[in-house]
Amino acid sequence: MEIITQTQKVRYEMRDEMEQIIKEYGIDRAKFHEAAKNRYDLVLRKLYYSFCDYKKYPVMQLAYLWTRFREDLKQTELVVTDWKNWATYIDHLDKLIPEKKLDLFYYLVVDGGWVYEGTIEEIKEVLKEYPTWMEDFYIFPKNYLWLICHCDDGACMFRVWK
């Protein structure tokens, strides 16, 4: 199965932004880093098959992934942002994570299909500096039991689970 990114090509501007945030804000690379490139395909496929209706949407497409979620998923209420206080919005992740474990590593998939892994505290620090003009992002544990989606079109985030 082919993975399609939003522009049908690899987008490096988000990776460059993420690297700049890591360097500028002294993010501990032992607690937050880009996932190994040879694991991207496995992570993205497992994400897609865990949460998306792959029978209705057989081509795995990362752009607007939230429009392909399975109908049987449970969902939290929306956390909405007015874009004015981004840090407060990102702090709402604590309420969306069912069992926050400080030493547990989660995946973060950002605009362009870039895959990162890190602790939730480091992910939050990076996301607080995440450019609001960038698009959706997804956070999920390595056991794929739930998924937090930030949708820039709806200026909101929510968690879904099986």
Side-chain angles (χ1 to χ4, degrees), residues 10-23 29 34-35 37 40 110-116 134:
V10 176
R11 296 178 56 189
Y12 288 97
E13 67 258 14
M14 192 61 231
R15 183 179 184 276
D16 294 345
E17 286 286 337
M18 295 294 279
E19 284 300 311
Q20 184 63 33
I21 291 167
I22 292 168
K23 291 174 187 171
R29 286 190 187 269
E34 185 176 355
K37 296 257 188 329
Y40 267 50
V110 297
D111 187 21
W114 297 100
V115 180
Y116 291 84
M134 295 308 281

Side-chain angles (χ1 to χ4, degrees), residues 1-103:
M1 174 181 283
E2 176 185 14
I3 299 173
I4 300 175
T5 61
Q6 185 172 2
T7 60
Q8 293 286 94
K9 64 178 182 174
V10 176
R11 296 178 56 189
Y12 288 97
E13 67 258 14
M14 192 61 231
R15 183 179 184 276
D16 294 345
E17 286 286 337
M18 295 294 279
E19 284 300 311
Q20 184 63 33
I21 291 167
I22 292 168
K23 291 174 187 171
E24 187 174 329
Y25 293 92
I27 303 298
D28 183 349
R29 286 190 187 269
K31 294 181 179 180
F32 182 85
H33 52 270
E34 185 176 355
K37 296 257 188 329
N38 64 355
R39 296 203 32 86
Y40 267 50
D41 188 61
L42 175 67
V43 170
L44 295 174
R45 284 180 193 284
K46 191 154 183 176
L47 165 65
Y48 193 81
Y49 288 113
S50 294
F51 299 100
C52 295
D53 185 347
Y54 52 86
K55 291 179 182 174
K56 187 174 180 181
Y57 304 102
V59 175
M60 189 171 98
Q61 184 173 336
L62 295 178
Y64 301 105
L65 185 70
W66 50 270
T67 65
R68 293 167 179 76
F69 286 166
R70 292 193 329 249
E71 291 181 15
D72 64 337
L73 294 177
K74 298 174 185 108
Q75 179 180 321
T76 62
E77 291 191 27
L78 301 178
V79 175
V80 180
T81 183
D82 62 5
W83 305 106
K84 293 178 185 169
N85 197 338
W86 184 251
T88 300
Y89 175 71
I90 294 302
D91 280 336
H92 277 91
L93 285 169
D94 292 335
K95 295 176 184 172
L96 293 175
I97 296 173
E99 295 179 12
K100 183 178 167 188
K101 296 180 181 177
L102 296 178
D103 60 341

